[in-house]
Amino acid sequence: MATSSLSGNFSVLRHSETQSRSLLLLGGSSVKLFRSKHEASTCHGARVAAAVPRASAPEVAVVEKGREKVRVLKLGLICGGPSAERGISLNSARSVLDHLQGDDLHVSCYYIDCNLNAFAISSAQVYSNTPADFDFKLESLAQSFQTLSDLAKHLATAVDIVFPVIHGQFGEDGGIQELLEKYNVPFVGTGSKECCQAFDKHKASLELRKHGFITVPSFLVQGYETDKSELSEWFKKHQLDPDLGKVVVKPTRGGSSIGVGVAYGVNDSLVKANEIMSEGIDKKVLIEIFLEGGNEFTAIVLDVGSDLDSFPVVLLPTEVELQFRGANDVKENDAIFNYRRKYLPTQQVAYHTPPRFPLDVIENIRKGASLLFQRLCLQDFARIDGWFLPNSSSKLSPFSQSEFGRTESGAIIFTDINMISGMEQTSFLFQQASKVGFSHTNILRSIIHHACLRFPNLASVSGISGQLPSRSKSLQRNKSFSRREGTRKVFVIFGGNTSERQVSLMSGTNVWLNLLAFHDLEVTPCLLSPTSECASSIDMGKKADDVMNRTVWSLPYSLVLRHTTEEVLDACMEAIEPEHAAITSELRKKVMNDLMEGLKDHNWFTGFDIADDLPVKFSLRQWIKLAKEVQATVFIAVHGGIGEDGTLQSLLDAEGVPYTGPGAMASKICMDKVATSVALKHLANSGVLTINKDVRQKDDLSNKPINDTWHDLTRKLQCQTLCVKPAKDGCSTGVARLCCPEDLAIYVKALEDCLLRIPPNCLSKAHGMIEMPNPPPEHLIFEPFIETDEIIVTSKFEDATGHGLTWKGHSRWVEITVGVIGKRGSMHSLSPSVTVKESGDILSLEEKFQGGTGINLTPPPLSIMSENALKRCKQHIELIANTLQLEGFSRIDAFVNVDSGEVLIIEVNTVPGMTPSTVLIHQALVEQPPLYPHQFFRKLLDLASERSM
């Protein structure tokens, strides 16, 4: 693998072997949709200029492949933007970068900040958790452009085609498209005029109604002086109580989640509409009736036509189900599919692909979305959201016979059109594409190749066949395991039954996808199935026999791309259920038939590369035996529980199966926060300090008076404010700041009631959502709460020393997290990251693991910590790692004194988060030379193999 870096524009060249594949042709028929000449000219008028050859086109790059010379396509990837979705845009760009790079396709990265300033950035910055990680230091790290016009002029000569992945404003409203059209820069996706119309929910609704689609009745609010009587009349017209009628309030020109809320009655509706406008989200607001009893869905549309002949094919739609799990969950009467539910793995939402709708409804959703795509003159791909309203639940006005969306089973309504769908690893685009045979790389290359067809100077690119990575293989219990010459097997295991299992799914998925880039590896994703949720944490599989009988599923490609481990497990059960499997198979074939009707005409399409494999069920005992037989290395991504307490490590050791991360004894010590402190206590004179702890049983907290417990804890720990956390659970689950006895009472009550989460701001000091362990832990640790000075990050900067930071520095302590990597006894500290809390005093689950949220300053800015203090800090971190006999890799969380480099240990994670935005990736990229994600995970795998030798 060759890695090449260039200042400003950064490309990673990944060697991929070309795999010859025959086209997968299926029986069946499909109807091709041709635009009339008039319609084609109307839809494409805005792009005529873009198709004109540019005066100074980019220099054609060519690579030799054997004896054949292949043109290199130079792609400009633009992310960021002014909307609240810019963090998600960064996630999308990261995913596109991961799956597009190859020796025939070079990617250069560009970023537009919230003030519409443009920069050419390195791909290393794309792996930041959030734009705030680097916003304040962009001028010192990136090539800036004086104006957006300067950016466009640069793109016209530097790249062949642009892939905009800006979500929301400036990305989907036609802003970036209009800029590119003006300077004749080819780009992926819909043109500016069409984007502008489709992005505005009010304009799009009017257009859909004009074309005969059923639409949701709505009322447009413009400005603060809305006539209340008009809105009251609208309520009455639609049989809504003007005082209590339930409606949805949303910005007309926002994303599908930002600013969307529920209101009751005319007054509440206007208050919420005014809030949207006053917060600057939008100047116009839509009030729509709330679709009670409806089922939300989303569908990806892929255009596989040629030239001006549009042939939009809708993939298998996804049903979005909001879930509330009994009395233990915090149920919201106003529950909608909001930003948090969309982008953070949570059991409050479940996805079903295909949806659990009648077959005629699914077919009509596909037919309607395809027509809508064509009528609105969309290009290349899009995501269309809507609702299915069963007859029994439909409270809309009677539909006209001419309206599209009427079925025998109910009504279909399309509500949101997303011109640039989210492209995170497990997004709807990749979920739905994988169900019909596309890998991440294949679907992205197909979209880009299709876009190239519109531009004459890119015609030669249509001859490039997509270079696809090696595919993962689902294990088959009773088949021999042939090994490609020179390859070795890797089992990536994730899941489990702790509160961290959803983060584990994200970690395992990321590791698996990155290791697929290596053609000397055969990588299999495996789910450690959750145990029964009614089991207590005492008897949850701690006996050796119980552990060995735990279930492990070997997963096919499409089943990994799910929101939660519960979804993965449900999908496994459905896949092996004959009736459901037969329905899904037929739907899959139908979609693949439709796709091939268009794709067969494109010589760049080399076939579908994801087979319709079945999951395979093993006991943990059988799975470990199989790993030994095929000489597999196990990549452990199971956070907490048996994956991190030494249990799984001991079982693998017993069979001689190599695995990543520390050994059994080190894992066991680090999982126990008290044992970790004891093991490090003797290092106090060496610059390593530990925090006093008091361990209490959950039942004791319930049985003793709260005031007595509070006073006893504060007296013993000699503090006024406490930090409480599970004794043997990692990350931010169940971690809270307690400032008074009342806070302790609320926390204990949440444990007693087995609540899955404590809602924001229930405690005396402001905080975000606190995810709680499930089941509740038997033991809890109380510690003094360590005060650190607030760090404020701004995008206003003066120089490279971090003057975009506001930090008073009174306490001289900051919180850091740092990865360690290497062999036992010689662990190497990566560069620490200063963690910045955006809300409350405890890093939330989102801030640690959800891309697009949370701020990490890597390395620590010189304005906070000097180079000498940083050097001493890293030495102390390495001392901790070697004292605990860590190996492979781990993550250490601590407070550090910015003057002395002394470290106050918080905890050690032997299976740290490995999500796409994990801080470990940021730190690996600071190394010299930088370690990109696929290289980083390969290094961890190689360390495991070397240890076994």
Side-chain angles (χ1 to χ4, degrees):
M1 177 172 302
T3 304
S4 169
S5 62
L6 301 172
S7 176
N9 300 331
F10 198 102
S11 298
V12 176
L13 312 183
R14 186 182 295 176
H15 176 71
S16 303
E17 66 182 42
T18 302
Q19 298 181 355
S20 60
R21 301 170 189 277
S22 59
L23 293 178
L24 179 55
L25 295 172
L26 303 167
S29 61
S30 61
V31 178
K32 195 167 186 176
L33 303 172
F34 292 94
R35 287 198 181 105
S36 66
K37 290 183 180 179
H38 171 73
E39 187 177 1
S41 63
T42 301
C43 289
H44 292 269
R47 269 178 300 289
V48 171
V52 177
R54 291 167 283 172
S56 54
E59 183 179 330
V60 175
V62 175
V63 293
E64 286 198 19
K65 193 168 187 182
R67 296 182 179 178
E68 180 186 1
K69 290 187 177 181
V70 178
R71 174 174 175 176
V72 176
L73 181 68
K74 292 185 285 188
L75 181 86
L77 186 63
I78 304 182
C79 62
S83 84
E85 295 182 88
R86 59 184 170 274
I88 302 303
S89 168
L90 194 63
N91 298 348
S92 292
R94 185 189 306 123
S95 185
V96 171
L97 189 64
D98 275 342
H99 297 291
L100 273 185
Q101 294 168 142
D103 53 10
D104 64 343
L105 199 156
H106 295 180
V107 182
S108 299
C109 301
Y110 301 86
Y111 172 72
I112 295 176
D113 71 10
C114 57
N115 299 314
L116 295 183
N117 299 307
F119 303 87
I121 62 174
S122 74
S123 53
Q125 287 167 308
V126 175
Y127 291 97
S128 297
N129 195 36
T130 167
D133 285 358
F134 59 81
D135 260 343
F136 70 95
K137 53 185 177 181
L138 268 172
E139 282 194 348
S140 66
L141 294 178
Q143 173 192 344
S144 62
F145 298 94
Q146 290 295 317
T147 65
L148 288 174
S149 294
D150 289 339
L151 168 66
K153 292 174 184 176
H154 165 83
L155 292 171
T157 59
V159 304
D160 295 310
I161 191 166
V162 166
F163 197 156
V165 290
I166 298 175
H167 304 308
Q169 295 173 20
F170 197 69
E172 294 181 88
D173 62 1
I176 186 68
Q177 292 81 4
E178 185 177 20
L179 176 71
L180 297 172
E181 287 165 355
K182 181 178 178 181
Y183 290 92
N184 296 330
V185 181
F187 61 89
V188 175
T190 299
S192 62
K193 179 182 175 182
E194 295 81 9
C195 280
C196 182
Q197 177 177 263
F199 184 69
D200 187 307
K201 294 179 176 64
H202 180 62
K203 289 182 181 178
S205 179
L206 295 177
E207 190 69 16
L208 288 178
R209 197 174 305 159
K210 185 175 79 174
H211 286 294
F213 289 86
I214 301 172
T215 57
V216 182
S218 62
F219 184 92
L220 181 65
V221 175
Q222 300 187 76
Y224 297 97
E225 305 300 325
T226 300
D227 189 332
K228 187 184 293 186
S229 62
E230 285 187 22
L231 183 55
S232 295
E233 286 301 315
W234 180 85
F235 266 72
K236 293 174 184 176
K237 176 183 176 182
H238 295 288
Q239 301 175 356
L240 294 171
D241 184 339
D243 296 321
L244 296 172
K246 190 174 181 181
V247 294
V248 174
V249 183
K250 60 173 71 171
T252 61
R253 290 166 54 81
S256 55
S257 309
I258 300 293
V260 182
V262 173
Y264 291 87
V266 172
N267 291 334
D268 190 31
S269 299
L270 290 177
V271 167
K272 287 188 167 64
N274 287 337
E275 286 175 355
I276 290 173
M277 291 185 286
S278 64
E279 291 173 9
I281 298 175
D282 203 347
K283 296 178 180 178
K284 297 190 295 182
V285 178
L286 271 187
I287 298 174
E288 297 178 342
I289 67 169
F290 190 96
L291 299 176
E292 296 276 9
N295 304 98
E296 193 168 359
F297 66 81
T298 186
I300 297 294
V301 189
L302 186 67
D303 191 353
V304 294
S306 302
D307 196 20
L308 297 183
D309 296 330
S310 176
F311 187 14
V313 175
V314 180
L315 308 185
L316 285 181
T318 299
E319 176 190 356
V320 179
E321 179 191 14
L322 293 183
Q323 295 182 326
F324 297 97
R325 305 173 61 235
N328 295 348
D329 205 350
V330 181
K331 184 165 185 176
E332 303 169 43
N333 293 325
D334 301 340
I336 54 176
F337 187 44
N338 60 18
Y339 189 80
R340 188 174 196 272
R341 293 190 180 98
K342 182 176 288 187
Y343 295 115
L344 180 70
T346 168
Q347 285 185 266
Q348 286 189 323
V349 65
Y351 300 147
H352 305 277
T353 308
R356 302 165 302 172
F357 302 160
L359 291 178
D360 69 312
V361 172
I362 296 174
E363 187 56 32
N364 275 282
I365 287 172
R366 295 190 62 237
K367 179 181 177 183
S370 178
L371 284 172
L372 189 155
F373 186 97
Q374 190 183 39
R375 298 282 170 82
L376 295 184
C377 302
L378 306 184
Q379 287 284 356
D380 299 329
F381 78 118
R383 196 188 84 230
I384 298 174
D385 304 337
W387 290 79
F388 165 56
L389 293 164
N391 286 325
S392 59
S393 67
S394 177
K395 296 181 180 178
L396 300 179
S397 304
F399 308 126
S400 163
Q401 291 295 325
S402 63
E403 288 181 316
F404 180 88
R406 292 170 55 86
T407 73
E408 293 182 359
S409 305
I412 297 167
I413 304 177
F414 298 106
T415 56
D416 288 284
I417 302 156
N418 301 270
M419 276 63 66
I420 303 176
S421 176
M423 284 169 271
E424 294 180 298
Q425 284 182 345
T426 58
S427 65
F428 293 124
L429 171 65
F430 299 126
Q431 283 186 32
Q432 295 181 22
S434 67
K435 292 293 286 186
V436 294
F438 287 105
S439 66
H440 288 66
T441 298
N442 203 0
I443 188 68
L444 288 171
R445 281 179 173 262
S446 296
I447 290 168
I448 291 167
H449 283 309
H450 184 270
C452 288
L453 295 175
R454 292 196 298 276
F455 306 98
N457 59 320
L458 296 179
S460 62
V461 175
S462 64
I464 299 175
S465 61
Q467 294 181 355
L468 307 175
S470 59
R471 296 273 62 85
S472 62
K473 292 191 175 182
S474 181
L475 307 175
Q476 302 297 321
R477 185 182 300 173
N478 297 319
K479 292 185 179 179
S480 60
F481 293 89
S482 60
R483 180 192 299 271
R484 294 200 311 265
E485 186 176 351
T487 66
R488 57 185 169 118
K489 292 187 179 292
V490 180
F491 294 175
V492 181
I493 187 167
F494 47 85
N497 54 15
T498 74
S499 55
E500 298 177 81
R501 61 190 178 277
Q502 315 308 357
V503 176
S504 173
L505 173 59
M506 295 168 67
S507 293
T509 301
N510 188 43
V511 170
W512 161 65
L513 286 172
N514 272 280
L515 291 180
L516 286 181
F518 297 95
H519 290 273
D520 63 334
L521 302 178
E522 293 183 23
V523 192
T524 300
C526 304
L527 174 73
L528 177 62
S529 182
T531 55
S532 171
E533 290 193 2
C534 62
S536 74
S537 58
I538 291 178
D539 56 26
M540 251 170 50
K542 293 309 295 180
K543 293 180 181 177
D545 286 344
D546 291 342
V547 171
M548 291 297 270
N549 287 325
R550 291 278 297 275
T551 298
V552 177
W553 288 87
S554 164
L555 303 173
Y557 195 107
S558 66
L559 293 196
V560 185
L561 307 180
R562 298 299 171 123
H563 201 57
T564 65
T565 55
E566 287 75 17
E567 270 186 54
V568 176
L569 182 58
D570 288 345
C572 288
M573 301 305 293
E574 289 175 352
I576 60 175
E577 195 278 310
E579 184 176 351
H580 185 277
I583 293 173
T584 301
S585 179
E586 284 304 308
L587 288 171
R588 170 186 162 95
K589 287 179 182 178
K590 168 62 177 166
V591 175
M592 293 175 79
N593 284 339
D594 293 345
L595 287 166
M596 283 310 307
E597 187 69 21
L599 290 172
K600 63 181 172 58
D601 297 328
H602 302 302
N603 60 358
W604 45 260
F605 183 68
T606 57
F608 300 106
D609 58 331
I610 300 299
D612 191 19
D613 292 331
L614 292 175
V616 182
K617 184 178 180 180
F618 299 89
S619 69
L620 184 57
R621 177 183 285 106
Q622 292 170 328
W623 182 82
I624 292 175
K625 182 181 178 182
L626 179 61
K628 181 179 181 179
E629 288 176 0
V630 300
Q631 300 177 28
T633 300
V634 173
F635 200 119
I636 300 177
V638 178
H639 302 313
I642 69 169
E644 205 162 355
D645 67 3
T647 303
L648 182 56
Q649 290 81 359
S650 294
L651 296 174
L652 293 169
D653 280 337
E655 295 296 328
V657 176
Y659 56 87
T660 55
M665 184 54 67
S667 297
K668 183 178 181 180
I669 291 172
C670 293
M671 185 65 170
D672 187 326
K673 297 179 178 68
V674 174
T676 303
S677 289
V678 171
L680 299 174
K681 207 166 187 66
H682 68 284
L683 299 178
N685 293 329
S686 301
V688 176
L689 308 176
T690 57
I691 304 174
N692 292 331
K693 294 175 171 57
D694 193 314
V695 182
R696 300 290 172 111
Q697 287 191 6
K698 175 174 68 73
D699 292 343
D700 288 345
L701 294 174
S702 299
N703 296 331
K704 293 181 180 178
I706 289 293
N707 282 334
D708 291 352
T709 301
W710 177 264
H711 292 306
D712 188 39
L713 285 168
T714 53
R715 178 182 57 81
K716 286 184 176 180
L717 295 173
Q718 299 181 349
C719 63
Q720 297 301 313
T721 305
L722 300 172
C723 180
V724 61
K725 60 183 71 172
K728 294 185 178 181
D729 214 334
C731 73
S732 299
T733 307
V735 182
R737 179 180 185 177
L738 308 178
C739 298
C740 58
E742 291 74 19
D743 287 349
L744 178 59
I746 291 171
Y747 189 90
V748 171
K749 185 75 165 82
L751 293 173
E752 292 172 348
D753 295 343
C754 299
L755 291 185
L756 300 180
R757 54 193 61 83
I758 297 176
N761 302 324
C762 286
L763 306 178
S764 59
K765 197 166 185 349
H767 64 87
M769 183 79 77
I770 299 173
E771 300 285 340
M772 296 296 286
N774 180 40
E778 294 300 319
H779 294 87
L780 293 121
I781 289 176
F782 291 88
E783 302 171 343
F785 183 83
I786 306 297
E787 294 280 358
T788 57
D789 293 316
E790 183 180 21
I791 300 174
I792 299 174
V793 179
T794 68
S795 58
K796 305 295 182 184
F797 38 78
E798 296 176 12
D799 54 40
T801 61
H803 289 169
L805 303 175
T806 301
W807 179 63
K808 295 179 181 178
H810 294 320
S811 76
R812 313 306 294 166
W813 290 87
V814 295
E815 186 174 347
I816 62 167
T817 185
V818 54
V820 289
I821 184 171
K823 298 179 180 180
R824 188 189 306 178
S826 58
M827 295 294 281
H828 167 68
S829 171
L830 301 177
S831 182
S833 301
V834 175
T835 56
V836 180
K837 298 173 282 290
E838 295 185 286
S839 63
D841 297 294
I842 304 292
L843 280 174
S844 67
L845 197 65
E846 291 98 326
E847 288 170 328
K848 279 197 174 183
F849 299 113
Q850 178 185 336
T853 63
I855 301 172
N856 297 292
L857 307 179
T858 312
L862 291 174
S863 60
I864 293 179
M865 186 184 299
S866 69
E867 289 185 3
N868 285 334
L870 177 59
K871 181 180 179 181
R872 288 192 294 270
C873 170
K874 293 174 72 173
Q875 290 171 345
H876 293 144
I877 291 295
E878 290 172 354
L879 177 60
I880 292 170
N882 292 325
T883 300
L884 294 172
Q885 297 190 56
L886 301 182
E887 56 189 312
F889 71 116
S890 295
R891 194 191 77 228
I892 297 173
D893 297 338
F895 298 101
V896 63
N897 185 287
V898 298
D899 299 316
S900 67
E902 283 185 307
V903 169
L904 180 61
I905 189 77
I906 300 173
E907 65 180 11
V908 179
N909 297 273
T910 54
V911 185
M914 292 168 277
T915 64
S917 56
T918 180
V919 72
L920 291 181
I921 298 300
H922 315 168
Q923 295 172 7
L925 287 166
V926 174
E927 293 290 290
Q928 292 301 325
L931 280 173
Y932 278 80
H934 59 285
Q935 297 167 321
F936 178 68
F937 294 126
R938 179 60 186 258
K939 183 173 181 64
L940 303 184
L941 187 68
D942 290 343
L943 282 169
S945 299
E946 290 168 11
R947 179 174 64 189
S948 69
M949 295 176 185

